[in-house]
Amino acid sequence: MDEKKKVIFSGIQPSGQLTLGNYLGAIKNWVKLQDEYDCYFCVVDLHAITVKQEPKDLRARTLEVMAIYIAAGIVPEKNTIFIQSHVPAHSEAAWLLNCYTYMGELSRMTQFKDKSQRYGESIAAGLYNYPVLMAADILLYQTDLVPVGSDQKQHLELARDIAQRFNGLYSETFVIPEPYIAQTGAKIMDLQTPTKKMSKSEDNPNSYILIMDPPEVIRKKVSRAVTDSVGEVRYSDEQPGVKNLITILSTITGQTPKEIENKYAGQGYAQFKNDVGEAIVGELEPIQKKVKEILADKSYLENIYKTGAQKAEYSARKTLSKMQRKIGFIPAAR
Ligand code: TYM
């Protein structure tokens, strides 16, 4: 039966502590999809080093991201959970695909354009090539569906273009992946500047909620979230701060924005903000407790990433060998 299931691949960079955006835009959807699909959930550490990382922090965060996947409800026995650098095929395939990707395509990536403004001349070449590594991640598993937040849509379109180009040159090699971007929660906004997305790389901690933020910190950050002087809970582009809080509440509780508007009609923001804070705490607090338990048992985690890497390696190698053969490399004598 399992062979017939469609394949999902997704990943998160251990480049900073994970935010509510990562949770609502990605992980919460993965949990819902895991029964229906054959899922690969990866901690993409090779991606993280496109910006400077402290080795000890990278190690700690890689394990923490994995623990968060599991604590949020990704069942290790049902899914392939692994660490990207444990499967060398990702780096190898990325090199090959680099030779089928145009500079023009990579230069058009908006995330690269934004980041290159921040880093100037000393921007790493890895940051430029990063979407190719992401394409390799996805294509190696013959992935059908990629559940991500809306900021990854452009990278996914590039992965599709690269796959189609390679298939066109050498005959069917890759499944062409589709994005899976949820109706709500695909773009959680910054709490201080609600016109940009919530990001773990933001300097002001009041801009984001971390999955591991203590409850009192979460409550404080929500109460400080920027709103407006309209004084009505309305799901409107003219009130981006309030709209974002409605989105967060709606994604967590399943209520529609309309239901939320009606509930708080004529009440101002105090009770509404209080309820948003409580909803987030109610969602994250049990996860935080489990993360701590999981991190206390390193051999449990080690077992999961060991098994995960073995399963991932098997599938990834199959695709990589196919690519090498089609390109014209001589198979290594064994
Ligand atoms: P990353 O690590 O920046 O983010 C991980 C996931 O979280 C989503 N996300 C958000 N969703 C809603 N609102 C937000 N504010 C928000 N911020 C982040 C992202 O869309 C993403 O789904 N390149 C990827 C990681 C990656 C990957 C892959 C993903 C590498 N290889 C293969 C899918 C498939 C990244 O940097 O995501």
Side-chain angles (χ1 to χ4, degrees):
M1 272 299 280
D2 266 10
E3 268 108 52
K4 288 210 196 90
K5 283 188 179 175
K6 290 199 164 182
V7 175
I8 274 185
F9 184 99
S10 201
I12 298 184
Q13 297 196 46
S15 54
Q17 288 190 291
L18 299 202
T19 69
L20 184 67
N22 297 127
Y23 177 71
L24 295 178
I27 302 173
K28 199 169 162 66
N29 295 315
W30 303 355
V31 175
K32 291 185 199 148
L33 294 164
Q34 65 181 328
D35 291 323
E36 235 184 292
Y37 294 87
D38 180 11
C39 299
Y40 292 83
F41 296 122
C42 185
V43 182
V44 289
D45 55 351
L46 297 173
H47 278 87
I49 62 162
T50 51
V51 296
K52 190 166 176 285
Q53 299 295 332
E54 204 54 59
K56 133 173 130 0
D57 296 343
L58 180 61
R59 270 192 290 275
R61 269 194 251 105
T62 301
L63 293 181
E64 185 177 273
V65 172
M66 233 181 111
I68 289 175
Y69 289 1
I70 299 162
I74 306 290
V75 181
E77 293 77 21
K78 277 199 231 161
N79 301 284
T80 307
I81 303 175
F82 70 106
I83 298 170
Q84 190 184 25
S85 63
H86 291 179
V87 182
H90 288 251
S91 309
E92 297 179 47
W95 170 255
L96 302 185
L97 294 180
N98 254 312
C99 300
Y100 301 87
T101 307
Y102 304 138
M103 305 270 285
E105 289 175 316
L106 293 175
S107 309
R108 279 196 291 277
M109 295 292 118
T110 51
Q111 217 175 63
F112 172 75
K113 284 198 263 185
D114 291 348
K115 289 200 177 165
S116 56
Q117 262 172 10
R118 189 156 5 134
Y119 298 105
E121 277 293 295
S122 51
I123 189 164
L127 209 51
Y128 183 70
N129 282 311
Y130 144 127
V132 185
L133 177 59
M134 179 162 162
D137 298 342
I138 296 167
L139 301 178
L140 277 174
Y141 298 92
Q142 304 295 347
T143 301
D144 296 286
L145 211 59
V146 185
V148 281
S150 57
D151 63 323
Q152 296 299 321
K153 193 161 177 263
Q154 198 186 24
H155 292 157
L156 212 80
E157 277 159 11
L158 178 66
R160 288 168 57 89
D161 289 344
I162 298 172
Q164 267 153 356
R165 185 170 304 140
F166 196 99
N167 283 356
L169 277 168
Y170 298 111
S171 80
E172 264 339 87
T173 309
F174 302 121
V175 168
I176 309 298
E178 296 281 342
Y180 176 97
I181 295 169
Q183 294 270 321
T184 58
K187 193 172 187 186
I188 301 298
M189 309 306 271
D190 182 301
L191 297 181
Q192 294 301 314
T193 317
T195 43
K196 63 178 194 194
K197 79 159 186 178
M198 184 183 283
S199 163
K200 53 191 170 222
S201 51
E202 189 51 52
D203 292 333
N204 177 0
N206 281 324
S207 294
Y208 51 73
I209 289 172
L210 298 177
I211 296 181
M212 296 305 285
D213 266 344
E216 59 285 6
V217 173
I218 295 177
R219 292 189 183 102
K220 208 175 285 163
K221 287 183 176 176
V222 175
S223 75
R224 286 181 187 157
V226 165
T227 50
D228 51 62
S229 55
V230 177
E232 281 289 332
V233 176
R234 256 193 249 124
Y235 191 71
S236 149
D237 288 338
E238 270 132 57
Q239 295 172 247
V242 171
K243 184 178 179 193
N244 187 39
L245 295 178
I246 296 179
T247 302
I248 292 172
L249 191 57
S250 161
T251 315
I252 293 176
T253 64
Q255 301 168 89
T256 63
K258 194 85 221 144
E259 285 165 347
I260 294 170
E261 281 182 351
N262 292 341
K263 183 164 173 197
Y264 298 99
Q267 285 188 34
Y269 299 145
Q271 185 63 44
F272 167 62
K273 275 186 152 184
N274 181 69
D275 292 355
V276 173
E278 291 313 314
I280 300 171
V281 168
E283 182 86 5
L284 296 184
E285 208 179 11
I287 296 178
Q288 296 174 355
K289 286 202 182 113
K290 277 190 223 145
V291 168
K292 287 177 193 149
E293 284 167 24
I294 293 168
L295 285 176
D297 189 351
K298 291 280 178 330
S299 65
Y300 170 74
L301 270 181
E302 198 179 300
N303 248 324
I304 293 170
Y305 65 67
K306 185 175 164 201
T307 316
Q310 283 164 352
K311 278 162 71 184
E313 171 81 20
Y314 177 79
S315 311
R317 273 282 144 202
K318 253 192 356 203
T319 303
L320 181 65
S321 305
K322 203 159 138 188
M323 292 165 73
Q324 291 166 329
R325 227 175 19 240
K326 295 207 182 190
I327 289 172
F329 293 161
I330 306 271
R334 302 218 183 258

